[in-house]
Amino acid sequence: MNQLSRPRTIIRGAIPAEAPAALSRRALLTLAGAALLAPARGGAAAADPALARIRLAGKLRALAPRLPAAACMARLSGADAPALAHMRDCWAAFLGAARRLRDGDESLGFAAEKDFRARQALATAEAVGRVGGEAAELAAETGALTGEAFDAVLRNAESFEAHAAAAFAAIRDAHGAAARSVGAAVRMDVVTRQSLLVERIAREAALAALELRQAQEAARGIDQDAQLFAASHAALREGAPMLGIAPPPEGARAALARAEELWPDFEAAARALAASGAGADGLSAARDALAAALDAAADRYAGLPQGAI
């Protein structure tokens, strides 16, 4: 049986982890109920500004745990130049996404963010991540990842991820009603969260390899995120009407199938690194391939051409 076969608890697994803080259960049920009355949109559709903004916010959410994961990978690789450049690029991508969301992006058709809560959440996420981001930039410039710089990246890693998730939730709530179908915000929440789970698993494995996380604790974290990934994947692949998740749009099916093919290699590499401390390069390659497939699926859910974000 494929490791991503549908689990017994799809509905629980498919509800976004941030939902209790951002979308009440009543709101989720109302949204899901309305989605049952809305026509299914299985085919590709033209992108709209609301979904493009939510998609970019989902990318922002996944970039937050990528920075500390990249720092750990750099530490494991002996801080070689490509690893340090990757750290810097992770921060630059996060900062660029945050500013596009705040100031608008003509290429994606949306103007400057007007919602106060969303602007505040973006500013907070940027401020929390700045210390680690500046350390990553300095490491790339100097060609050395000092202990102080490494600690700076990791110091607020969990807070950074939480504030990036809060920024996503604020943008989803502010623009979800304007999306082209009733359940679109929920679908985008789930499909973009898949990339977040991949980044968190890579981070846990790297922390364990560096003996900054106990192996058993890291294994539990990987187990939880892997189960959630599998449940959400099943909901995306097959649809979950009670959650407002329609079957995947045209073009997303192939990307989801590709992610399903790549998942076993990624999971095995993560578990091997967490258990033995070896195989960081293999995990990085598996993560890159899986992330590309998930990005392609998320783009198509938003009605965007691949690579638009």
Side-chain angles (χ1 to χ4, degrees):
M1 180 180 294
N2 190 288
Q3 294 189 35
L4 289 183
S5 296
R6 179 168 60 180
R8 296 172 186 265
T9 54
I10 286 178
I11 292 180
R12 172 181 290 183
I15 293 176
E18 299 86 3
L23 266 175
S24 68
R25 184 167 295 276
R26 177 180 297 177
L28 277 171
L29 292 175
T30 299
L31 185 59
L36 291 174
L37 303 176
R41 295 174 180 257
D48 67 88
L51 274 184
R53 194 190 290 270
I54 294 171
R55 165 73 183 104
L56 183 56
K59 185 75 170 179
L60 185 88
R61 178 171 57 166
L63 286 167
R66 186 178 294 184
L67 176 59
C72 290
M73 293 297 185
R75 195 77 162 179
L76 288 169
S77 73
D80 58 22
L84 295 179
H86 181 58
M87 282 177 58
R88 178 197 59 213
D89 292 346
C90 287
W91 170 246
F94 181 92
L95 194 60
R99 291 177 176 174
R100 290 165 71 190
L101 288 164
R102 183 189 63 202
D103 299 335
D105 187 325
E106 291 184 2
S107 69
L108 294 176
F110 60 80
E113 180 60 67
K114 295 181 179 179
D115 182 80
F116 174 77
R117 178 181 163 227
R119 288 185 66 86
Q120 187 176 49
L122 286 168
T124 302
E126 184 178 327
V128 171
R130 184 165 294 282
V131 172
E134 290 177 349
E137 290 178 341
L138 181 62
E141 289 173 5
T142 61
L145 181 60
T146 65
E148 183 178 356
F150 181 65
D151 290 344
V153 175
L154 294 189
R155 190 176 305 133
N156 294 324
E158 293 184 2
S159 177
F160 184 31
E161 181 182 327
H163 285 294
F168 169 82
I171 289 168
R172 178 197 61 199
D173 293 351
H175 301 281
R180 64 172 177 258
S181 65
V182 177
V186 173
R187 292 195 290 274
M188 290 304 299
D189 198 328
V190 176
V191 73
T192 60
R193 190 192 55 197
Q194 296 294 78
S195 295
L196 167 72
L197 295 173
V198 167
E199 301 300 342
R200 285 204 317 217
I201 288 171
R203 184 191 63 194
E204 286 299 302
L207 286 171
L210 289 169
E211 298 183 349
L212 297 175
R213 187 89 85 220
Q214 291 186 353
Q216 290 183 338
E217 182 184 356
R220 282 195 297 271
I222 291 172
D223 286 343
Q224 291 172 358
D225 285 341
Q227 290 170 10
L228 183 54
F229 185 96
S232 298
H233 183 87
L236 291 167
R237 183 188 62 208
E238 301 170 16
M242 289 303 296
L243 293 175
I245 299 177
E250 193 66 30
R253 292 180 187 275
L256 290 172
R258 179 61 177 156
E260 188 167 345
E261 291 174 0
L262 293 168
W263 172 261
D265 288 343
F266 169 77
E267 184 180 12
R271 293 187 185 279
L273 181 63
S276 68
D281 289 344
L283 177 58
S284 293
R287 188 214 69 85
D288 289 347
L290 181 55
L294 293 171
D295 277 347
D299 285 346
R300 296 315 301 264
Y301 266 91
L304 294 165
Q306 186 173 345
I309 296 296

